[in-house]
Amino acid sequence: MPIYEYQCTACGHRFEQLILAGEMEPEECPACGAAIQRLISAHAVGGSGEEAPACASGACAPCGEGACPACE
């Protein structure tokens, strides 16, 4: 069941909405009633339960990928 993020084009209010199968997406802002747009957001991905260590510098992807000088 996807959770979508929306933002109002008038007041900037941001909100999330769980959309069940067969339900219509919202068309207006719950705060002011103006038009909204769906935002592109990151999705959750299940894994093995183990987290990759963060980059030592905090500036890149998981360590060991060579994405920054601190990881090389």
Side-chain angles (χ1 to χ4, degrees):
M1 288 177 254
I3 297 176
Y4 293 112
E5 292 182 90
Y6 300 91
Q7 183 168 3
C8 178
T9 58
C11 72
H13 176 69
R14 292 178 73 146
F15 64 99
E16 296 176 348
Q17 180 83 32
L18 173 67
I19 307 294
L20 301 174
E23 287 186 343
M24 299 292 292
E25 291 189 46
E27 296 180 354
E28 59 186 39
C29 175
C32 73
I36 58 172
Q37 64 183 13
R38 188 165 61 175
L39 303 174
I40 297 174
S41 55
H43 61 279
V45 177
S48 64
E50 296 181 24
E51 292 186 27
C55 171
S57 70
C60 70
C63 284
E65 292 185 8
C68 73
C71 292
E72 294 177 350

